[in-house]
Structure formats: structure tokens, C-alpha cells
Amino acid sequence: MQTFNGNKNMDCNDFILSHAQLANYDELGFLHSIPILSAEEVRRFRVAVDQTCEAIGGRVTRLDGPHLYFQWAWELSTHPRVLDCMEQLIGPNILLKSTRLFYKFGRSASFVGWHQDGITERVDQAFVPAIWLGLTEATAENGCLRVVPRSHRLGLVPHADRPNPNNLTTQGLTAQVDIDSPHDIVMREGEMSLHHPLILHASNPNDSAESRIGFSATYSTPALTASRTAVAWVRGHGPKDCFTIVEQPPQRSLEDAIAAYRAGNHQMLFAE
Ligand SMILES: O=C(O)CCC(=O)C(=O)O
């Protein structure tokens, strides 16, 4: 199977994804509703996320690179079950490339325009997949992720800047293609979806009364040769000379982490 990369570290009892799921990922370009977090973990991570957002101030709707500063984001992106799934997808040597928090308040106009992560990640190869992990349920009403099945077969499509204060994509980057039969990724809290870097995806505004919160992260095999942001080898190993390497998890106090995050010049978006 194309995505199954001959794991040497994992015992066959450890596998979370079935062969049928991996085949589906290859065929459709995504997979969803993979149980990752317990109810207690969801509660704990939500408290930490809310503390961080409150400390930053304003109505935070997107934070880029939180794993470099905040323990909760590091723990989410290196959660053993997440990495076990990633290992099944791309093999035993796993690099953490980037992370994002998407926080859509209840009844907020924030949306995510149609895009491919390959555009912003500057990679169009299957070895750079992403996860989306829900800290709340994700429904059609609260603006769950939507994908165009099989769109990973289109290659990189043209994107244009469509600045809009409510669009949470980087610089409002929006795919210039007709969107055909999108699929809503409806999931329970604590569940995860996996995405090919070329899958077209987006999300609508949150029409529900409650917040919709998701954490996304992008990984790679050792095939990656450059990255604009610092990376971490989170399982196995690989080259260190072409990147800025994060050697250890963030350990700062919340106050120091916020100050360092602000100084780090990462994309931070706020709801109007
Ligand atoms: O959370 C969302 O609605 C969008 C997430 C997304 O576009 C991404 O992770 O690339």
C-alpha cells in the first residue's frame, strides 16, 4: 500500500488505522473520526488553550506555531496516538513542521476559504500530511472542516489573495477552482482527521452558540529539505543540518511563553 511505510517500531497490536482506512486515505485524500483524546484530556487541553488565549487578550481565532512556546500545543502535536497514526502513514521517522490553533467563537463570522496546505507549506508531495484534532465537536452548524474528496489528485491549483477580515487562511489565500461536492467532516470532540497536503479544504462560519476549536499540525518524513520555521524530530530521526531544530519541548511559564510568542512574529488573528 502506498502510504503504509513498513513500520519497524510498531508492533502489529499497536496499529490504530486499518488497511482499509489507509487505502481510503490514498483514494480520497483524507480520513476522519479517529479517536485520539479522552474526555479528560479534552477538558485539560481546553483549559490550557483558553488560558493561553485569554492571556494573549482579545478574541483569538488563529495562532500559528503554538507548539514552539506552549506545552499544551507540544503535547497535542506529539500525542502518542497522533504519532502512531502518522507513523502508519509516513513511516517511523517523523518531523513536526508546523502547528495552528483555529478558534471559532459561537456565532462568529470567521471562516476558512478553500485552499490546499501545499500552497502555504510550500510542498506538494504526499510526505507532508496534516492532522486536525478537535477540542470540541465539529458539526456542519459550527463550521467543521470541509474537503473535496479526491482533490489531492489535481496537483497544486492556482490560489489568489482574497483578503477578508473573517477569512482565517494565510493572507486570505483562496483556491481559484470550482468546488465540487464538498464533504463535511463531522466529528466528536477528541477525534482527529488526516489530510493529504493537496486536499482542497475550507470551513464555514460558526452558526452555533458554542465555540468550535481545532488544532492542526503538519508533519513530514526525512524527505523534507527546507522549512521556513523551526522543526522537531518527534519520532525516529533524520537530517538536522538543513533546519532550525527544536531540541526540547517548551518549558516556559505562561507569562514568559506569551512574551516569547509575541516576540516570535507568528501569525495571530483575532475575531472582529
Ligand atoms: O479549522 C479550520 O476550520 C480550518 C483548518 C485548516 O484549514 C487547516 O488546518 O489547514
Side-chain angles (χ1 to χ4, degrees), residues 85-264:
C85 291
M86 206 36 76
E87 186 166 344
Q88 282 190 267
L89 216 53
I90 62 174
N93 298 310
I94 303 174
L95 175 140
L96 173 60
K97 186 175 187 297
S98 59
T99 61
R100 298 149 294 277
L101 176 77
F102 289 92
Y103 199 127
K104 288 191 200 163
F105 292 91
R107 310 222 187 281
S108 73
S110 302
F111 70 98
V112 174
W114 287 100
H115 69 284
Q116 294 168 309
D117 286 348
I119 286 283
T120 43
E121 295 291 335
R122 301 187 185 176
V123 188
D124 62 356
Q125 306 283 319
F127 64 77
V128 192
I131 63 153
W132 191 98
L133 180 52
L135 296 183
T136 61
E137 64 173 356
T139 65
E141 190 192 14
N142 75 10
C144 64
L145 213 58
R146 320 184 73 204
V147 297
V148 178
R150 299 184 178 80
S151 53
H152 62 310
R153 304 260 171 85
L154 297 174
L156 273 178
V157 303
H159 285 59
D161 286 357
R162 293 279 179 269
N164 174 330
N166 293 318
N167 188 349
L168 304 183
T169 57
T170 302
Q171 291 160 353
L173 270 175
T174 307
Q176 303 299 289
V177 282
D178 291 336
I179 297 303
D180 189 16
S181 311
H183 175 86
D184 283 336
I185 299 192
V186 172
M187 296 196 292
R188 289 188 282 239
E189 63 174 26
E191 290 185 342
M192 176 177 82
S193 52
L194 295 167
H195 314 129
H196 188 285
L198 293 183
I199 199 80
L200 279 162
H201 60 289
S203 66
N204 287 332
N206 182 354
D207 289 333
S208 80
E210 304 298 327
S211 298
R212 193 233 64 176
I213 308 170
F215 177 80
S216 79
T218 303
Y219 300 84
S220 178
T221 68
L224 192 75
T225 52
S227 174
R228 279 172 299 163
T229 49
V231 302
W233 286 105
V234 287
R235 190 170 277 184
H237 52 85
K240 293 193 167 182
D241 46 356
C242 36
F243 308 110
T244 303
I245 296 285
V246 184
E247 297 287 359
Q248 57 181 16
Q251 282 159 350
R252 296 180 171 101
S253 68
L254 180 59
E255 199 182 9
D256 289 353
I258 300 278
Y261 184 76
R262 285 188 196 285

